[in-house]
Amino acid sequence: MKRILMIATGGTIASTEDGSGLAPTMTGRELARQVPLLDTLCELDFVQPMNIDSTNMRPDDWLRVAHVVRTSYDDHDGFVVLHGTDTMAYTAAALSYLVQDSEKPIVLTGSQQPMANPFTDAKLNLYQSVLYACDDASRDVSVVFGGKVICGTRARKQRTMSFNAFTSMNYPSLAYLRGDRVVRPAGTVGAGEKDGRPPRFFDSLDERVIVLKLTPELGPEIFGLLRDAYDAVILETFGIGGIPDYDGAFQRAIFDWVGSGRTLVVTTQVPEEGLDLGIYEVGRAYANKEGILRGDDMTTEALVAKTMWVLGQTRDPAEVARLFYEPVNHDRVPR
């Protein structure tokens, strides 16, 4: 029987109502007791590094969870992280960069309703997450939610109330859970034999990364205001890569930003199909500018985590670009 470590961090799944609104109070062990047949799947161990609403989850907390995985890696066959849904996609992406090439599954799950709710989705999500973690073909970081397995760098919370809250963005779901079976689509990447490479662990992030969403009449002076507080801006452009060109002020502000040694990642605020700066005149000037990185079809959540991870490893521009464009856990489809 496999040995799985359940890492409980809080979230809706662990929440109860005390008159001031839902707040996490239940431990991982208490949650597991509520799920029938869970003890027939594997031997479970428990650890509780925090018990917080995922709104309060920060990069330091990502590092704490990654440290738990690292120190427990040799003693367990897989990991299930219980997490709030609101920032689960960020944590899943961050763990994908902090724990790379893992032959053991690191599965994140949670619920839209607390475990104590009579109509909760918590029991099935928790059961299916452990089921997937016990499957011999599972590996790397993923999100199991609503009967789907989503790559850790491709998950996005798309709905605030429905049980099918998460969507796999610009990449197929890795598997589906049907009863007590893991069903993997034919040809799914990551569902084959394990390659024997040792996992790589990382323990540094640069938290000085911000997402800036373009809106009509947003002034380019915003870059000057951000300069002292941030090392990188992830710029969500219009459409397939449009950046305003009223009078050249945006281009001057952006080129000055990267010229100062800071990083700019360009993506699109349109959720699906990705970015291409070479299509329109309003984007082409930025397509090959040194210091400007293209997000292509990556999610904003993955871009935030990857930029923090890359800048936590190096500040050399060439090495920053190399690490950024190197695919990790299927975070980008290489051109």
Side-chain angles (χ1 to χ4, degrees), residues 164-175:
N164 60 336
F166 283 86
T167 298
S168 184
M169 303 303 301
N170 299 318
Y171 198 79
S173 294
L174 298 178

Side-chain angles (χ1 to χ4, degrees), residues 146-185:
K148 293 192 297 187
V149 182
I150 301 171
C151 182
T153 59
R154 294 291 187 165
R156 169 166 290 175
K157 187 175 182 182
Q158 198 80 347
R159 300 170 186 86
T160 59
M161 294 180 287
S162 301
F163 287 174
N164 60 336
F166 283 86
T167 298
S168 184
M169 303 303 301
N170 299 318
Y171 198 79
S173 294
L174 298 178
Y176 299 89
L177 286 307
R178 298 291 182 260
D180 60 354
R181 294 185 302 141
V182 177
V183 180
R184 301 179 186 272

